[in-house]
Amino acid sequence: MTGSNGTGSVDTGQAEASKGLRLMAVHAHPDDESSKGAATMARYVAEGAEVMVVTCTGGEAGDVLNPAMDRPEVHEHMDEIRREEMATAAKILGVQHRWLGFVDSGLPEGDPLPPLPEGCFARVPLDEPTEALVRVMREFRPHVVVTYDENGGYPHPDHIRTHEVSMAAFDAAADPDRFPDAGEPWQALKVYYVHGFSRARITAFHEALLEAGQESPWAEWLERWDPDKPDIMERVTTQVPCSECFEQRDDALRAHATQIDPTSRWFAVPLETQRELWPTEEYELARSLVDSTVPEDDLFAGVREKVNP
């Protein structure tokens, strides 16, 4: 991992270079932060940067996806439990955390799709969550913002709205005429889209498991993959080395016990295999107000020189 001395600790010089840097990751639901870019955040925290996760909704509409947690008392206290899970995950990653305070829209199913609930995150006027995020941005003053792409990473209405809100707030936070009561203007310098599992990454893990004589949980997924669908790696500009934080990532993900089955395929590939085959997390540089040359290996590329000249 860049900045590590090989023993799991951080080089003094790298930690010094990271002081004063601030990263904000904007996510739709609790658990998204642990499945998308968690090791990157843990790496930067270890190096001395400040990292904040903003969660737009409480995840109230989420199902219980872990059979061990599928109990009546869990369903009855879902809101409270998901907040506790989020607090535990944030502590594991070492990040600051804020709830934006909007209501989970749920994932509509059926043909035709039913309307989204009145008052949910995806249906409130865009200015409402934009102002709320601008307020947090102007307080925390991030140099780099991480969010989802225009498709939300996958087409969940809350993920798509998170993209819309994040991009709107990036511009509005710097504009003194927008939301003048939401704090002093602040200009973040870069926006990235976080990208999860690519076909190339899944294929690498699938083949490694087969070569080791193990069953691969990715076989069916790869069989169903549309061969005409471009791999998301074609959009990736930035691969952040963060393999020494994979254990923290997985611990944070398991903290969301209502959402993650610890026996699921997400944990099928040994960490040492992951570190050898795919030691990075992937991002797409969407907006930049600083000079940085792609491909990159650092979300703060071009920013460090401005913050710590």
Side-chain angles (χ1 to χ4, degrees):
M1 181 177 79
T2 301
S4 168
N5 59 18
T7 64
S9 59
V10 174
D11 290 339
T12 303
Q14 188 69 23
E16 188 66 31
S18 295
K19 285 183 179 179
L21 296 174
R22 293 181 296 276
L23 171 70
M24 174 180 284
V26 187
H27 287 284
H29 311 107
D31 82 75
D32 288 329
E33 84 296 328
S34 296
S35 61
K36 303 170 185 65
T40 299
M41 293 190 292
R43 166 199 158 160
Y44 285 128
V45 169
E47 290 180 355
E50 290 187 68
V51 180
M52 175 180 283
V53 170
V54 178
T55 309
C56 294
T57 80
E60 303 89 348
D63 296 323
V64 175
L65 302 177
N66 179 1
M69 294 290 288
D70 195 2
R71 307 189 301 270
E73 63 271 23
V74 172
H75 289 275
E76 291 170 10
H77 301 284
M78 191 69 161
D79 294 4
E80 178 183 338
I81 290 172
R82 295 208 72 178
R83 285 183 170 271
E84 291 172 354
E85 291 173 347
M86 182 65 236
T88 301
K91 185 175 181 180
I92 290 168
L93 296 174
V95 302
Q96 302 175 47
H97 179 252
R98 294 290 181 85
W99 297 99
L100 211 58
F102 293 88
V103 176
D104 190 342
S105 306
L107 183 59
E109 296 179 328
D111 187 13
L113 292 174
L116 295 174
E118 190 69 34
C120 70
F121 179 50
R123 288 193 63 179
V124 296
L126 183 60
D127 268 5
E128 289 184 29
T130 299
E131 181 176 10
L133 184 55
V134 163
R135 192 175 297 277
V136 181
M137 281 187 174
R138 288 176 177 173
E139 178 186 342
F140 182 66
R141 298 159 67 88
H143 302 103
V144 175
V145 176
V146 173
T147 188
Y148 312 136
D149 68 10
E150 65 280 1
N151 299 312
Y154 79 106
H156 189 299
D158 286 339
H159 283 242
I160 294 170
R161 176 46 62 99
T162 297
H163 162 80
E164 295 167 347
V165 170
S166 299
M167 301 308 287
F170 177 82
D171 291 325
D175 186 346
D177 295 327
R178 297 290 307 281
F179 313 117
D181 297 326
E184 291 297 316
W186 174 256
Q187 178 67 72
L189 298 175
K190 296 172 95 174
V191 179
Y192 286 93
Y193 301 151
V194 60
H195 289 304
F197 274 72
S198 65
R199 183 170 185 170
R201 184 182 179 194
I202 294 172
T203 300
F205 291 164
H206 170 73
E207 292 177 350
L209 290 172
L210 294 182
E211 288 174 9
Q214 301 177 35
E215 185 177 349
S216 170
W218 308 108
E220 185 178 352
W221 194 348
L222 287 170
E223 288 173 4
R224 296 199 314 265
W225 200 291
D226 181 356
D228 295 326
K229 180 181 179 181
D231 193 334
I232 201 66
M233 286 302 296
E234 295 180 15
R235 294 179 56 172
V236 166
T237 61
T238 311
Q239 293 186 269
V240 178
C242 52
S243 62
E244 291 181 14
C245 296
F246 282 177
E247 190 168 358
Q248 276 177 274
R249 173 203 65 191
D250 286 0
D251 286 346
L253 194 54
R254 282 188 285 261
H256 293 281
T258 59
Q259 305 301 300
I260 301 297
D261 182 348
T263 66
S264 68
R265 63 187 174 194
W266 306 112
F267 307 105
V269 183
L271 289 182
E272 285 309 311
T273 302
Q274 294 185 44
R275 289 179 176 126
E276 178 183 350
L277 294 178
W278 208 282
T280 61
E281 290 180 333
E282 281 65 53
Y283 300 85
E284 176 185 351
L285 181 59
R287 297 273 302 276
S288 181
L289 302 179
V290 297
D291 292 331
S292 58
T293 302
V294 296
E296 305 170 316
D297 63 1
D298 180 12
L299 298 184
F300 291 110
V303 174
R304 294 179 185 276
E305 296 81 0
K306 286 188 171 293
V307 177
N308 299 310

